[in-house]
Every structure is written in structure tokens, then in C-alpha cells.
Amino acid sequence: MTSQSLARVHRSRREARWPGRIGVRLKHERRDDRTPRRITLTTITRAPRTWGRVLSGPDTWGMLRVGYARHWAQYRVTVFPPGINDHERIRLRTRMAAPIWGLLLWLAVWTVVAAMGVGHAVSIPVSIVITAAVVARSAAAASPTRRLVRQMTVWTGDGEEPTSSSERDRLLRMVDLLRHTDSDPRAGRIGPVEHEAVWARCYAELDG
């Protein structure tokens, strides 16, 4: 049997073991039957579907946080650098939520170490060291992208500056625009280039 015949036999066996794999791949990589999907870094490194949506958050561009303190309200808009992929977004959100999950992690580690029968003089320092190492690793993973994140914070309330309300309204309009732009590609109203252009324009409006 010639080498070409052997190659055809091996190819036929592979197709028999994984039928339709190539066809399914092509189907997922196209928006329709004629227009190929634009392959980007985000497309190639997309996080797992379920956990990716949970960890990367509802908004691809960043986040809005509103907090209250007595007679004051704080509006903080965080805009990620345009074009980051899902894994970079997850690292950023994980780093920003470190005060919450870090405390929960410390409690969990301390409970496990204390259950081993050691005293508080050992369990508390050990749990602190382990938690600090995990938080430091999370910060290091997000550091390259974290330096490019831009934020703006506005306080409104009693005795506010005259420009505070107008700045708050400007931030809320920006958030509304970004959220609508996030939903437009899924609805087919705009493409990824237009989506990223709006994102970049809002990112440029923040001084960092």
C-alpha cells in the first residue's frame, strides 16, 4: 500500500471516530452562511460559557457602583481598556472584589486549619499567610491590565459642589450608552468594530 493510500485510510478513520467535528466548528465560527466571523483574541480565549458569564460580569466595558453614606451618594464608573478578552476581564473583576472574597477565604482557611487541632496562635497566622498569598497572586495576574483601567467618582448630596450633579448625569449617560452598545452586537444592530469604537470613545473621556 502506498503512502497516499495510508494517509487516506488514517484520515477516514479519524473522520469515523469524530464525525461532524469539523462541520460543527465551522458552523460556530460563522455569523451566517456567507459571512465568516471575525476571529479576535476574545473569540479564541473565551472563558467557559456558564462560569464565564458569572465571573466576567454583565457588562463587557466595566462597571458602575453606587454607594450611600448618610446624606451622600457615590457614583463610581470603571471603564476597562477597550478590546480586553474575557480572561483579562475576569482577572480585573476578581482583583476588585478581593476585599470580599479575601475575607471569606480567610474564614474558610482558618476554619480548616483550626479543625486540625492546632491553637489560635498557629491557625490565625497560617490562614493570614495563605490568604495573603492568594490575594497577591490575584493582584499580580491583573496588574498589567489594571494599570490601564480608568475610573471616575462623583459624590452628590448635602453641600455638594455645583458641578457634581452635572458630572453624575454625564456618567450615567455614559453608562447608559455603553450598556446599550453592549446589547447591540447580540441583536445584530452593529458589529464588533462599531461596538469597540463607542467603548474607546467613552474610555477616552475619562482622565484615568
Side-chain angles (χ1 to χ4, degrees):
M1 184 177 295
T2 65
S3 58
Q4 292 181 349
S5 300
L6 286 172
R8 284 196 296 269
V9 170
H10 288 303
R11 185 166 57 252
S12 300
R13 289 177 179 174
R14 287 197 301 268
E15 292 172 356
R17 290 176 62 187
W18 299 290
R21 168 174 288 192
I22 298 176
V24 172
R25 178 68 175 177
L26 290 176
K27 181 179 179 181
H28 284 294
E29 292 297 323
R30 292 177 179 271
R31 288 198 300 265
D32 52 48
D33 292 335
R34 294 169 298 174
T35 307
R37 181 179 177 184
R38 186 171 71 96
I39 303 299
T40 63
L41 187 60
T42 303
T43 306
I44 297 172
T45 61
R46 186 169 300 279
R49 183 169 298 177
T50 302
W51 278 109
R53 283 197 297 265
V54 173
L55 296 176
S56 64
D59 300 317
T60 62
W61 52 268
M63 65 184 73
L64 166 67
R65 289 181 176 175
V66 181
Y68 301 93
R70 294 180 64 86
H71 304 293
W72 289 81
Q74 182 196 68
Y75 299 84
R76 175 177 294 175
V77 174
T78 302
V79 179
F80 299 152
I84 64 172
N85 59 50
D86 286 341
H87 295 289
E88 291 170 329
R89 188 177 298 109
I90 289 172
R91 294 190 189 104
L92 284 173
R93 291 186 181 274
T94 302
R95 173 65 183 87
M96 292 177 179
I100 298 175
W101 63 260
L103 176 61
L104 297 176
L105 176 63
W106 176 78
L107 289 173
V109 174
W110 175 73
T111 301
V112 172
V113 176
M116 299 170 62
V118 298
H120 292 325
V122 176
S123 62
I124 293 179
V126 168
S127 58
I128 290 175
V129 170
I130 294 176
T131 303
V134 175
V135 172
R137 184 175 180 83
S138 171
S143 180
T145 312
R146 180 69 181 85
R147 291 193 293 266
L148 301 176
V149 171
R150 295 187 177 180
Q151 289 183 337
M152 185 172 182
T153 303
V154 175
W155 287 90
T156 59
D158 295 342
E160 67 181 32
E161 296 182 2
T163 59
S164 296
S165 295
S166 60
E167 287 294 324
R168 175 202 60 196
D169 294 340
R170 183 174 73 90
L171 286 182
L172 294 179
R173 285 194 299 269
M174 179 187 299
V175 170
D176 186 61
L177 173 63
L178 287 167
R179 286 178 172 170
H180 277 86
T181 306
D182 254 7
S183 63
D184 285 343
R186 292 191 291 269
R189 290 187 289 268
I190 63 174
V193 175
E194 293 85 354
H195 172 266
E196 194 165 313
V198 175
W199 182 357
R201 187 169 71 248
C202 294
Y203 177 82
E205 289 185 16
L206 300 182
D207 295 332

